[in-house]
């Protein structure tokens, strides 16, 4: 076995593992972007309008925007779960969303909840999720998609405006194919690699 070849294969596996879904990662469609409230813009996963970059997530900005110097100024209007960004704009903290002008902690799909407004699956998904039996669940006629989102079970009858949802069933098939090559976890990659090298 040639050490150079092993190093090359390992490098390829590592690059393949990080490709695609993180904020500022490469993408072809919105669906390739795994971070909540991102979309694919010019081949890069980017925060949606009304969201700001905050480390590796996108934080919600109120509209109209609120200028700030210190977080206390944001707390007055958006509540204590808000902060002042480096660009001097009030925003919700990461993993919080705006509900009636207040920042509220996100409860993900299948988290425990007491109220509908706690459940969050992205700005474009809010009408599809609800607190059902104290469990954030997809509303009737919708099903979970890629662990955190809800999509319609009947994409064909949806309006053209709901572009992302319409595409979902096709993307699932593609996802199965691409996930088998790009999102295998490092351990699996290493095992597959070892077997491959041993069998040669
Ligand atoms: C919510 O429901 C899902 C699906 O039935 C289940 O897998 C999950 O464990 C539930 N979560 C809680 C917090 O009970």
């Amino acid at each position: 076995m040639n050490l150079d070849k092993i190093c090359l294969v390992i490098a390829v596996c590592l690059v393949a593992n990080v490709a695609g879904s993180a904020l500022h990662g490469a993408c072809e469609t919105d669906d390739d972007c795994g971070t909540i409230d991102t979309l694919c813009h010019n081949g890069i996963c980017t925060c949606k309008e009304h969201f700001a970059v905050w480390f590796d997530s996108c934080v919600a900005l109120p509209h109209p925007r609120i200028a700030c110097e210190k977080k206390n100024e944001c707390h007055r209007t958006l509540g204590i779960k808000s902060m002042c960004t480096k660009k001097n704009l009030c925003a919700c903290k990461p993993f919080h969303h705006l509900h009636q002008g207040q920042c509220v902690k996100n409860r993900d799909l299948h988290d425990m909840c007491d109220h509908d407004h706690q459940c969050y699956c992205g700005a474009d998904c809010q009408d599809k999720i609800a607190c059902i039996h104290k469990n954030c669940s997809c509303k009737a006629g919708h099903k979970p998609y890629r662990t955190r989102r809800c999509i319609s079970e009947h994409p064909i009858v949806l309006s053209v405006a709901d572009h992302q949802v319409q595409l979902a069933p096709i993307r699932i098939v593609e996802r199965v194919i691409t996930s088998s090559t790009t999102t295998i976890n490092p351990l699996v990659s290493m095992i597959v690699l070892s077997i491959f090298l041993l069998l040669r």
Side-chain angles (χ1 to χ4, degrees):
M1 272 188 283
N2 175 325
L3 189 63
D4 288 356
K5 207 173 276 177
I6 297 171
C7 289
L8 179 69
V9 177
I10 291 172
V12 168
C13 288
L14 292 177
V15 169
N17 279 320
V18 294
S21 62
L23 180 58
H24 300 144
C27 54
E28 281 174 27
T29 70
D30 294 352
D31 216 38
D32 295 332
C33 300
T35 304
I36 214 154
D37 294 318
T38 55
L39 49 72
C40 191
H41 181 69
N42 294 337
I44 305 281
C45 292
T46 313
C47 292
K48 287 183 178 170
E49 196 188 359
H50 304 305
F51 289 87
V53 176
W54 186 259
F55 298 94
D56 57 357
S57 61
C58 298
V59 290
L61 298 170
H63 35 288
R65 304 281 185 258
I66 304 167
C68 56
E69 297 283 333
K70 294 195 179 103
K71 64 180 179 185
N72 290 349
E73 295 154 38
C74 305
H75 290 180
R76 258 178 259 143
T77 40
L78 303 178
I80 55 162
K81 301 296 188 183
S82 61
M83 61 179 192
C84 188
T85 67
K86 287 168 198 148
K87 291 187 177 169
N88 297 105
L89 287 176
C90 289
C92 289
K93 288 181 175 181
F95 313 110
H96 288 72
H97 64 276
L98 279 166
H99 171 71
Q100 295 182 350
Q102 297 285 298
C103 297
V104 177
K105 188 167 168 57
N106 295 351
R107 304 281 174 94
D108 292 333
L109 185 60
H110 298 147
D111 278 354
M112 273 176 54
C113 55
D114 296 306
H115 305 283
D116 288 345
H117 76 257
Q118 297 172 321
C119 301
Y120 190 74
C121 53
D124 58 351
C125 179
Q126 265 330 68
D127 55 338
K128 303 179 182 73
I129 197 167
C131 185
I132 303 170
H133 305 304
K134 296 201 172 245
N135 185 324
C136 288
S137 310
C138 295
K139 284 185 185 174
H142 297 79
K143 60 186 176 188
Y145 174 58
R146 293 189 60 197
T147 70
R148 271 199 310 195
R149 272 189 290 165
C150 298
I151 58 163
S152 173
E153 285 173 345
H154 312 286
I156 287 109
V157 298
L158 278 179
S159 70
V160 177
D162 214 344
H163 165 77
Q164 200 175 2
V165 171
Q166 273 197 318
L167 293 174
I170 306 159
R171 305 288 315 164
I172 290 171
V173 178
E174 274 183 44
R175 177 59 52 190
V176 172
I177 298 161
T178 52
S179 70
S180 62
T181 55
T182 60
T183 57
I184 328 163
N185 77 49
L187 185 64
V188 175
S189 312
M190 295 310 285
I191 293 167
V192 171
L193 176 66
S194 312
I195 293 169
F196 168 77
L197 290 171
L198 286 172
L199 290 179
R200 266 156 30 102

